[in-house]
Amino acid sequence: MARGRLRVYLGAAPGVGKTYSMLGEAHRRADRGTDVVIGYVECHGRVLTEQMTKGLELVPRRHLTYRGRIFTEMDVDAIIRRRPEQVLVDEIAHTNIPGTRNAKRWQDVEEILDAGIDVITTVNIQHLESLNDVVESITGIRQQETIPDEVVRRADQIELEDMSPEALRRRLAHGNVYPPEKIDAALGNYFRTGNLTALRELALLWLADRVDEGLVKYRADHHIEQPWPARERVVVALTGGPEGETVIRRAARIAARGAGGELLAVHVARSDGLADASPSALGRLRTLVESLGGTYHQVVGDDVASALLDFATGVNATQLVLGSSRRNRFQHLLQPDVASLVTPRSGDIDVHLVTHEHVGKGRLVPPRRELSRRRLVGSWLLAVFGPPLLTAGLTATRDAHDLATEMLLFLTLAVGVALIGGVLPSLVAAVVGALLLNFYFTEPYHTLIISRPEHLLAVLIFPLVAGAVASVVGLAARRTSEAARANAEAATLSTLAGNVLRGEGALEALLEQARESFGMTSAALLERSAGDGDGWTCLGSVGADPASSPAESDADAALTDSLVLTLRGRALPAADRRVLGAFADHLAVVLERSRLAEEAGRARKLAEANRIRTALLAAVSHDLRTPLTGVKAAVSSLRQTDVELSEDDRAELLAGIEDSADRLNRLVSNLLDMSRVQAEAVRPVLREVRVDEVVPAALIGVPPDSVKVTLPEDLPTVRVDTGLIERAIANIVENAVRHNPAGTPVLLTASVLRDRVEIRVVDRGPGVPDAEKDRIFEPFQRLGDAPSGTGVGLGLAVARGFAEAVGGSLDAEDTPGGGLTLVLTLPAPGRSPDTLIDEPAEATEVIT
């Protein structure tokens, strides 16, 4: 039986219309005579979706009891018995109720497909397993229901249901996604514009990659080798030379000319280990490529031109960018440059040759000594004295062997020389051996004349065979040595890279790793003393007796003009300089990161002091005015002699004075605490309190019925300074009431987002343009939207200053339907991300 076909409607978020589109497709197919049934569709109370289910046959669901409650699940057996042509299965990532045959709904779908039934299903991008961590970092919610990417990848057809974040939020605000009581919380949590934009980008990129995979597979299945320029892919070849940055930037400009252009940088490492680029140089070029939005790749190949073309063809490149050769004319005579080899074989790939200031300024690289001096001397001694000694031994036992045995022994000697010292001394041993064979072991003896033709052929072929075998043996020995060294270098560099990925960057730890890697007794990082050209300061050291200056070290590597990594213990071979350079580069990054962190800390302290100073001045000018005015007015009335006041009037004025004095007392106490904070004498008094304890105190003095408070009962506690946050909430509410239409209460709600509590104050006033949202938190900003005499525009500035002082934040958002929503975010230390509810619809239920 042929397996059924799978069609997937992919969406970036709930509410984009996946289920609606799936039902619409089912109606179209049913009208064409296709046998379509509904296996499982979840309408979530959406009227339009429920109307689309009418006219389609519904396979009854199974009813299961779990923990005293009855749940419904898709009946897989009933669908297979019914055997329709196609079945609709909504939410393929759903987790089934315990007790069902399969734990996941996608496993149910696999059974239906194996039965030969086509399936049409839906899934959101946040449910794909590979994107689970990414979605959590964006939305703050970890999806518990996931599906392996491979299940969706295998789909015969994937259709993206796309919608802009603004359109989805409008759909949500109109009540087309969730019930009215869940709308405000959903808009303020999962369905933020930033969240939806990021999820939409994830969906588009994931689907684009699947389309690209399909194109690659189609070209492979149809044996299409030439590139198809579906999008501009620019490959830039890097040698690690000084021209790299110029070539990369030119390639980036080429890639940026077309929409969707990609930049790929590739470095070809020769398999013989004769790389002409340092790891630090390639590292800098890699950083530049990635900063320009490209990707870095490294391939291995003896033929650089062929390796470049193979890579470019494999990634379906349309452009290949090369730098002009740094070789001079003499070097071109010895070996052609890569560009002259690539261009005739590039086919449909356009080749760009970028000129630069280093053209023709290259130099010959001397051959690298790969063997120790002892081995080289030994091999030459064996090549010179070995054949005569072997000849003497064979001459003494001439009757015990023939010419074939003698030739094999000389060949063995040549191979042994190759194993010890390489090809050149082995060739000398082969030539000397051939002459000695001719002189002592071919008739007539003791002459260079050969009487028998077969002996002549053997003697002539012997040096050729010996040279070829010695060349292969020497090459294999060199490869073995290079592989061992490359393995050690790779292990060391892998450890360094692992430290970077894990965030491990302690200076002493890296110095200790460098000391152990090279077997040294000590390692130190030295910095040239300011104003003293010969003085050095030790920034960190490990081991016994570290060097106090580069002159005292056995090996050193310069990080910058003033920073040097020094090692003591032994002379370091030249072959280890590359890895030492990698350590030096890593140390430079760690030191720079450490210093930047220190500077950032100092800058934060200065900014904190300035922020608190600003908030202090703002509070004095803004919050002292009202109670002082009230006190002065009451005292003036009491002191008037021309007006007789009743006892009730006098009592009322005295009560007003007392109330204003209490308000002043609380405010001055808070201001004094802030003064001590500014002087770094104390910090804000943080303690865990409930939001429903802070809000009522903050609303004292607010006109009755002007604020509607809706707080969930299970909100976690927040860790704040109660006095500061009371003032912040009071200022926020005062601002909202001032701008809200008369007769309409301001809405104050709260919700949980990961380890934070968000207090949202929603008004239906004129709102604030996006360009002005940051300005409303600056002192003396009223933006012309408040009548005169209602303050000098310091309330929100004070509120933001107080919020940030306790580790929170204050931001402004648009209210769906018009108005402004101010979001006060406060830390909730007792809230763990693991306790968050997975589905956004469920989460909004908690906080409504």
Side-chain angles (χ1 to χ4, degrees):
M1 182 180 298
R3 178 180 167 88
R5 296 173 60 83
L6 177 64
R7 177 171 180 170
V8 177
Y9 282 87
L10 176 68
V16 296
K18 304 179 300 299
T19 305
Y20 191 90
S21 298
M22 178 180 70
L23 291 169
E25 178 64 20
H27 278 287
R28 287 189 291 271
R29 297 191 179 199
D31 293 341
R32 295 196 297 265
T34 304
D35 183 14
V36 184
V37 301
I38 296 177
Y40 189 98
V41 167
E42 185 59 61
C43 298
H44 297 289
R46 299 164 190 166
V47 177
L48 296 178
T49 305
E50 291 179 355
Q51 292 177 352
M52 289 294 292
T53 62
K54 297 179 180 179
L56 296 174
E57 179 183 347
L58 175 64
V59 177
R61 302 181 184 181
R62 293 180 60 195
H63 291 76
L64 302 171
T65 302
Y66 179 67
R67 293 183 177 179
R69 297 178 57 187
I70 298 178
F71 297 88
T72 61
E73 292 289 358
M74 181 174 63
D75 194 335
V76 179
D77 295 330
I79 294 173
I80 295 177
R81 287 195 301 270
R82 169 66 175 74
R83 297 200 61 78
E85 294 180 57
Q86 296 175 344
V87 60
L88 308 184
V89 181
D90 206 5
E91 299 178 355
I92 192 175
H94 169 75
T95 300
N96 293 330
I97 296 298
T100 56
R101 183 166 62 242
N102 297 315
K104 297 286 188 176
R105 185 169 292 164
W106 65 265
Q107 296 170 323
D108 296 338
V109 169
E110 290 294 315
E111 285 193 27
I112 297 173
L113 292 172
D114 291 338
I117 302 172
D118 294 346
V119 176
I120 305 177
T121 187
T122 65
V123 69
N124 284 326
I125 194 68
Q126 67 264 29
H127 294 295
L128 296 181
E129 182 66 41
S130 66
L131 300 176
N132 193 258
D133 293 340
V134 179
V135 172
E136 181 184 8
S137 66
I138 294 171
T139 65
I141 297 177
R142 186 170 188 83
Q143 302 293 334
Q144 302 299 329
E145 295 186 333
T146 59
I147 179 174
D149 290 42
E150 186 59 29
V151 176
V152 184
R153 287 173 185 262
R154 290 199 306 263
D156 299 278
Q157 187 174 351
I158 303 176
E159 184 168 335
L160 179 67
E161 281 297 315
D162 187 33
M163 177 176 289
S164 68
E166 294 77 11
L168 180 54
R169 285 173 60 87
R170 284 196 300 270
R171 175 179 288 184
L172 195 70
H174 293 159
N176 296 330
V177 180
Y178 291 138
E181 65 273 12
K182 299 182 179 181
I183 293 175
D184 286 338
L187 287 171
N189 288 276
Y190 193 85
F191 289 84
R192 300 166 184 253
T193 302
N195 289 359
L196 297 177
T197 302
L199 292 173
R200 186 188 189 196
E201 183 179 17
L202 281 178
L204 291 170
L205 292 176
W206 190 89
L207 186 60
D209 289 340
R210 304 293 79 73
V211 173
D212 201 46
E213 289 176 1
L215 179 61
V216 172
K217 184 177 183 300
Y218 180 87
R219 293 175 62 234
D221 293 342
H222 293 78
H223 307 289
I224 301 173
E225 297 182 357
Q226 69 272 20
W228 281 9
R231 72 168 85 174
E232 288 291 342
R233 281 193 177 90
V234 181
V235 173
V236 53
L238 302 179
T239 64
E243 79 283 357
E245 294 186 3
T246 302
V247 179
I248 290 172
R249 290 191 173 92
R250 176 60 176 164
R253 292 195 295 271
I254 295 174
R257 290 175 181 171
E262 293 185 21
L263 175 65
L264 301 92
V266 59
H267 171 69
V268 179
R270 299 178 186 271
S271 61
D272 59 5
L274 299 178
D276 57 354
S278 67
S280 59
L282 290 175
R284 287 191 294 271
L285 295 179
R286 178 173 188 162
T287 301
L288 176 60
V289 170
E290 293 174 349
S291 68
L292 294 173
T295 57
Y296 177 86
H297 308 268
Q298 183 162 317
V299 298
V300 178
D302 292 319
D303 187 345
V304 177
S306 298
L308 280 176
L309 289 173
D310 290 343
F311 176 83
T313 304
V315 299
N316 198 24
T318 57
Q319 316 270 350
L320 180 58
V321 180
L322 306 171
S324 297
S325 176
R326 286 177 283 125
R327 296 174 182 170
N328 53 39
R329 293 182 179 180
F330 175 72
Q331 292 172 309
H332 278 292
L333 295 177
L334 299 178
Q335 184 179 8
D337 63 283
V338 175
S340 63
L341 298 175
V342 166
T343 305
R345 300 157 53 189
S346 63
D348 294 332
I349 302 176
D350 297 335
V351 178
H352 300 263
L353 199 60
V354 178
T355 186
H356 51 86
E357 59 180 340
H358 304 283
V359 174
K361 297 180 181 180
R363 59 183 179 85
L364 287 174
V365 180
R368 188 173 65 184
R369 178 180 295 173
E370 300 164 355
L371 301 174
S372 66
R373 184 178 299 274
R374 176 181 296 181
R375 291 186 61 176
L376 289 174
V377 172
S379 64
W380 281 108
L381 292 175
L382 186 60
V384 174
F385 297 104
L389 293 175
L390 179 59
T391 301
L394 292 176
T395 303
T397 58
R398 184 186 300 273
D399 296 336
H401 42 76
D402 57 7
L403 181 61
T405 302
E406 295 155 354
M407 294 182 66
L408 286 175
L409 291 174
F410 275 98
L411 179 60
T412 303
L413 178 63
V415 171
V417 173
L419 288 172
I420 298 174
V423 177
L424 188 56
S426 177
L427 292 176
V428 173
V431 173
V432 173
L435 294 175
L436 293 175
L437 277 172
N438 181 17
F439 193 81
Y440 287 99
F441 302 105
T442 58
E443 298 177 351
Y445 299 122
H446 307 298
T447 67
L448 295 178
I449 299 173
I450 301 175
S451 60
R452 300 175 61 178
E454 60 272 19
H455 289 176
L456 175 62
L457 183 61
V459 171
L460 292 177
I461 292 178
F462 169 76
L464 299 177
V465 173
V469 172
S471 176
V472 172
V473 171
L475 184 62
R478 189 168 71 249
R479 292 291 188 272
T480 302
S481 175
E482 292 167 354
R485 173 169 294 278
N487 183 53
E489 291 182 359
T492 303
L493 295 175
S494 176
T495 302
L496 275 177
N499 291 341
V500 174
L501 294 176
R502 291 189 297 270
E504 299 174 2
L507 194 64
E508 287 75 13
L510 288 175
L511 290 172
E512 179 63 24
Q513 186 178 354
R515 188 191 68 78
E516 292 178 352
S517 298
F518 299 108
M520 295 296 191
T521 59
S522 66
L525 182 61
L526 305 179
E527 183 176 29
R528 192 184 302 274
S529 301
D532 186 356
D534 297 327
W536 294 88
T537 302
C538 181
L539 301 179
S541 64
V542 294
D545 193 21
S548 58
S549 68
E552 299 177 3
S553 65
D554 296 312
D556 63 80
L559 284 67
T560 64
D561 293 339
S562 59
L563 287 172
V564 178
L565 169 62
T566 61
L567 300 172
R568 297 189 71 177
R570 63 183 178 90
L572 198 64
D576 289 335
R577 301 294 299 184
R578 290 192 305 168
V579 180
L580 181 61
F583 271 102
D585 292 336
H586 196 176
L587 281 168
V589 171
V590 170
L591 184 62
E592 182 68 16
R593 183 189 303 165
S594 175
R595 289 178 171 176
L596 288 176
E598 292 177 359
E599 292 179 5
R602 289 193 293 269
R604 280 195 299 270
K605 289 183 178 180
L606 292 174
E608 179 77 5
N610 183 65
R611 180 189 56 75
I612 294 179
R613 184 184 300 110
T614 302
L616 175 63
L617 294 175
V620 170
S621 63
H622 183 73
D623 290 345
L624 288 180
R625 175 179 299 177
T626 301
L628 286 176
T629 302
V631 170
K632 181 176 177 58
V635 171
S636 299
S637 299
L638 290 172
R639 294 188 60 186
Q640 288 181 354
T641 57
D642 55 343
V643 177
E644 290 196 14
L645 299 174
S646 65
E647 291 297 326
D648 292 339
D649 291 336
R650 294 174 64 84
E652 183 178 354
L653 290 174
L654 290 173
I657 293 173
E658 183 178 11
D659 180 68
S660 297
D662 291 339
R663 186 174 175 184
L664 283 171
N665 182 57
R666 291 194 302 269
L667 179 57
V668 170
S669 297
N670 290 334
L671 294 177
L672 290 176
D673 287 340
M674 289 185 61
S675 299
R676 290 193 294 271
V677 170
Q678 182 184 9
E680 297 185 355
V682 295
R683 296 185 179 276
V685 181
L686 303 179
R687 64 185 185 92
E688 294 191 19
V689 297
R690 293 179 56 85
V691 175
D692 54 10
E693 297 175 0
V694 178
V695 171
L699 297 183
I700 295 176
V702 177
D705 301 327
S706 61
V707 180
K708 179 182 178 182
V709 180
T710 305
L711 298 177
E713 296 180 355
D714 56 351
L715 275 179
T717 59
V718 294
R719 186 171 180 79
V720 297
D721 185 301
T722 307
L724 298 183
I725 295 307
E726 285 180 6
R727 292 305 312 152
I729 295 176
N731 288 352
I732 297 170
V733 172
E734 179 185 350
N735 178 81
V737 171
R738 184 185 307 128
H739 297 91
N740 209 41
T744 303
V746 170
L747 178 62
L748 191 151
T749 64
S751 60
V752 183
L753 180 64
R754 302 190 70 180
D755 58 347
R756 298 265 169 173
V757 170
E758 291 187 345
I759 299 175
R760 311 177 72 84
V761 180
V762 183
D763 69 59
R764 297 290 179 178
V768 176
D770 291 339
E772 305 291 341
K773 282 188 172 61
D774 286 335
R775 287 187 56 204
I776 65 175
F777 298 107
E778 298 176 3
F780 309 106
Q781 296 297 325
R782 292 172 50 241
L783 301 181
D785 58 355
S788 59
T790 59
V792 293
L794 288 173
L796 295 184
V798 172
R800 172 173 274 189
F802 287 168
E804 293 178 352
V806 299
S809 62
L810 179 62
D811 301 289
E813 298 178 356
D814 290 328
T815 300
L820 185 68
T821 298
L822 293 176
V823 184
L824 176 64
T825 304
L826 302 175
R831 181 69 171 177
S832 171
D834 296 335
T835 64
L836 296 178
I837 297 175
D838 176 42
E839 290 295 333
E842 298 285 346
T844 58
E845 216 169 86
V846 174
I847 62 177
T848 299

